[in-house]
Amino acid sequence: MSSAQQLLLTAIRCDIDNLTHLATTADIVGDISHFIHMLQRERGASTIYLASQGQRFSSRRNTYRQHSQQAETLMRQRLEALSQEARPQAAARLLRRIAAVWSALDELGALREAIDTFAISPDAATQAFNQLTSGLLAIVFEAADTSIDPDITRTLVAIFHLMQGKELAGQERACGAYGFTHGHFDEAHRDLLNQLVADQQRCFDTFVEFATPEARQAWRKELSPRTLDGICHLRDIACQRHSAPPASSSNAADRLAETWYELTTLRLDAIKTVENALITQLSVLCQRKITQAEDALEKAKAGPCRSTPAHCEHLLSLSGAQPLGDLTASALTSPLGRSLIELTQAQASRLQGLSDELENTRKALRERKLIERAKGLIMAHQEMSEEEAYRFLRKTSMDQSKSMADMAQAILDLSAMLKRKD
C-alpha cells in the first residue's frame, strides 16, 4: 500500500470517528430536549402551585416531577457514557459544559423541597429552573459549535434556536400563569412578558433561516392559528392593552389562568413535535454521512485499478525527448486533461460552497458568543438581570445604528482597555 493511500485511509477513518461522535451527540441532544420539556412542564405547574399556595396543580406537579426525574435518569446515563469516550480533541469544552450542568442537577432536590414547603417564591423558583435549562441549552450550543460538517452544523443551529425559542415560550407560560393566578400583572411582569415574546420571535426567525424545507413545513403545519390567536388575546389582557384581568373575581381569574396554561401548553407541545422531527432528521443525517464515509473507505482500500487504461498507455508512450512545454500543452488539450481540469474545478467549487456555508453558520455562532459575553459584563457592572442586560444591549446597538454583535464587541474591547489601564 502506498503512502498516499495510507494517508487517505487514515483521513477517512478520522472522518468516520468525527461523524460517529456527532451521531452520539445527536442522541444526547434528543435526551436533553426530552428532559427540558419535562422540566418546563414541572416549572409551569410549580409556578401555579406556589402562586395559589398549594390550592391548585398539586397532583399535576407531582406527576410532572416524576416525569422529569425519569427523563433526568436517561439523560445522565447518556452523558456519563460520553464522558468515558477517549476522544479529547472534540469533547473538552463539551465536557466542561456537562460538568457545570451536573452540579445544577444535583441541586434539583433542594429546589423541589423548597417548593414543597413554600420556602421559595414563584419568581425565584422559575428563575432556578431557568438557570438549569440555560445550562442544558449551552450543551446543545457547544455541540453545534464543535461540528465540522456544514450540513450537520446547520441542523444543530436550527435545533438550538428552536429549543431556545421554546424555552422562552415556557418562561412566558410560567410568567403568565403567575399573573393570571394572582388576578393581575404588575409592571415588572408585563415588561417580562413583552420581552419574552420579542425574544421568542428572534429565536424562531433564526430557526426558520437554518432549518430544512421539511422542518419549515412541519413548523407551519403544527402551530395552530386558533391556539396562537387565543394566546395573543390573553397577552393583550395581561399587558392591559384592552382591559385588565378581573382581580375582583377569583373564579374568573382561575378560568383565565387555566385557559392560559392550556393554550400555551398546546403551543409548547406543538413546538416539541417539530423539535422531535428535527432531531430525527439530525440522526438520519449523521447515519447517512457515516455510511457515505464507510463506502469511501472501502473504495480507498480497494486501491487503484491494476489494469492500465488506454489514456494512461498513451501518456506512457510519450517520447522522453518531447519538450516539457509541448507535453504540458498536449496534456491540457487531451480528453484526459480536460476531464481532470473539469473535475478539479467542480470539486473546488463544491468545497468553496461548503466552506462558505460553514463559515456563515460559524459566524452566527461567534456573534452569539460575543453577545452572551457582553451581556455577562453588563450584568456584572450594571447589576442587571439577564433580560435587562439584553434589552440594554439591543437598545444601545439600535441607538448607535450598529448590529448587536458589533456593539457587543465594542463593549468587550472597552472592558479590555479599561483593565489594561488599571
Side-chain angles (χ1 to χ4, degrees):
M1 182 182 296
S2 67
S3 297
Q5 188 179 6
Q6 185 61 53
L7 288 170
L8 178 59
L9 293 176
T10 302
I12 295 175
R13 290 190 182 103
C14 286
D15 287 340
I16 294 173
D17 179 55
N18 287 328
L19 289 168
T20 302
H21 177 75
L22 283 173
T24 301
T25 303
D27 292 335
I28 291 173
V29 169
D31 287 339
I32 290 175
S33 167
H34 179 60
F35 179 47
I36 286 177
H37 192 61
M38 295 301 104
L39 276 181
Q40 288 166 342
R41 287 180 173 179
E42 183 182 355
R43 175 181 59 196
S46 297
T47 300
I48 295 178
Y49 176 79
L50 287 170
S52 66
Q53 287 296 302
Q55 297 300 309
R56 303 182 61 227
F57 275 47
S58 176
S59 60
R60 193 181 306 196
R61 173 178 166 257
N62 289 332
T63 299
Y64 291 160
R65 177 170 55 189
Q66 292 174 7
H67 293 167
S68 293
Q69 290 169 333
Q70 292 168 1
E72 179 186 351
T73 299
L74 293 174
M75 185 190 68
R76 280 181 181 263
Q77 291 172 353
R78 189 93 68 177
L79 293 178
E80 284 179 342
L82 179 67
S83 67
Q84 294 169 4
E85 280 190 12
R87 207 175 170 281
Q89 66 271 27
R93 290 186 302 175
L94 194 60
L95 291 176
R96 289 192 184 94
R97 294 284 193 186
I98 294 172
V101 167
W102 207 273
S103 298
L105 289 173
D106 291 338
E107 296 174 2
L108 256 180
L111 172 61
R112 287 164 175 152
E113 184 177 350
I115 296 172
D116 287 336
T117 58
F118 303 99
I120 189 171
S121 69
D123 283 341
T126 297
Q127 186 61 28
F129 279 112
N130 294 354
Q131 291 295 333
L132 175 55
T133 306
S134 177
L136 292 165
L137 287 171
I139 296 176
V140 180
F141 178 84
E142 199 63 59
D145 197 32
T146 55
S147 171
I148 61 174
D149 182 278
D151 295 329
I152 294 175
T153 301
R154 284 184 66 87
T155 305
L156 279 167
V157 170
I159 290 173
F160 170 75
H161 283 90
L162 182 62
M163 291 177 70
Q164 188 177 45
K166 177 172 171 287
E167 164 58 13
L168 293 169
Q171 292 182 24
E172 182 193 8
R173 176 175 64 181
C175 178
Y178 174 82
F180 283 120
T181 300
H182 270 293
H184 73 281
F185 286 79
D186 57 26
E187 190 68 29
H189 286 86
R190 284 197 299 271
D191 288 346
L192 176 58
L193 201 67
N194 283 323
Q195 187 62 47
L196 289 170
V197 171
D199 289 347
Q200 284 173 62
Q201 191 59 49
R202 175 173 52 85
C203 290
F204 292 142
D205 287 345
T206 305
F207 153 72
V208 171
E209 179 183 353
F210 284 92
T212 62
E214 295 80 7
R216 289 195 290 268
Q217 183 178 2
W219 174 253
R220 292 189 294 267
K221 176 183 176 182
E222 292 295 334
L223 296 182
S224 165
R226 184 176 180 180
T227 299
L228 293 177
D229 289 344
I231 292 173
C232 289
H233 176 66
L234 290 175
R235 285 171 178 168
D236 288 343
I237 294 176
C239 295
Q240 296 184 341
R241 293 170 185 159
H242 301 313
S243 60
S248 59
S249 171
S250 60
N251 289 334
D254 287 346
R255 286 196 299 270
L256 279 178
E258 190 71 29
T259 302
W260 168 263
Y261 186 86
E262 294 304 327
L263 287 175
T264 50
T265 297
L266 284 173
R267 181 178 179 232
L268 284 167
D269 289 345
I271 297 173
K272 184 64 171 68
T273 300
V274 181
E275 197 174 289
N276 290 343
L278 203 55
I279 291 171
T280 299
Q281 288 179 19
L282 174 63
S283 180
V284 171
L285 178 60
C286 289
Q287 293 304 320
R288 186 170 74 242
K289 296 276 185 178
I290 291 172
T291 300
Q292 291 172 351
E294 289 174 341
D295 290 342
L297 180 63
E298 292 304 314
K299 290 178 181 178
K301 285 180 179 179
C305 182
R306 293 187 180 275
S307 61
T308 305
H311 51 248
C312 289
E313 292 177 346
H314 173 70
L315 288 176
L316 291 172
S317 67
L318 289 172
S319 170
Q322 185 176 0
L324 183 59
D326 294 341
L327 177 60
T328 303
S330 176
L332 291 175
T333 56
S334 70
L336 172 63
R338 288 197 300 273
S339 65
L340 287 173
I341 291 171
E342 291 168 0
L343 178 61
T344 302
Q345 290 174 339
Q347 181 71 359
S349 176
R350 177 177 174 275
L351 290 174
Q352 184 61 49
L354 291 175
S355 177
D356 292 344
E357 188 175 0
L358 183 58
E359 179 55 32
N360 290 336
T361 304
R362 291 199 180 282
K363 180 182 178 183
L365 290 169
R366 287 196 299 269
E367 289 180 349
R368 178 164 189 81
K369 280 187 174 180
L370 287 175
I371 292 171
E372 292 298 322
R373 289 173 58 198
K375 275 171 43 182
L377 281 174
I378 295 170
M379 292 165 63
H381 291 283
Q382 300 296 325
E383 296 184 354
M384 292 182 176
S385 67
E386 185 175 359
E387 292 81 7
E388 291 170 339
Y390 177 80
R391 290 199 297 271
F392 174 82
L393 180 60
R394 184 174 62 177
K395 184 178 185 302
T396 305
S397 63
M398 292 175 63
D399 292 343
Q400 299 192 20
S401 299
K402 292 183 177 181
S403 69
M404 287 190 65
D406 289 341
M407 194 69 243
Q409 185 63 64
I411 291 173
L412 294 173
D413 291 343
L414 179 61
S415 174
M417 182 177 68
L418 292 175
K419 286 180 179 179
R420 285 197 298 270
K421 286 186 177 181
D422 291 340

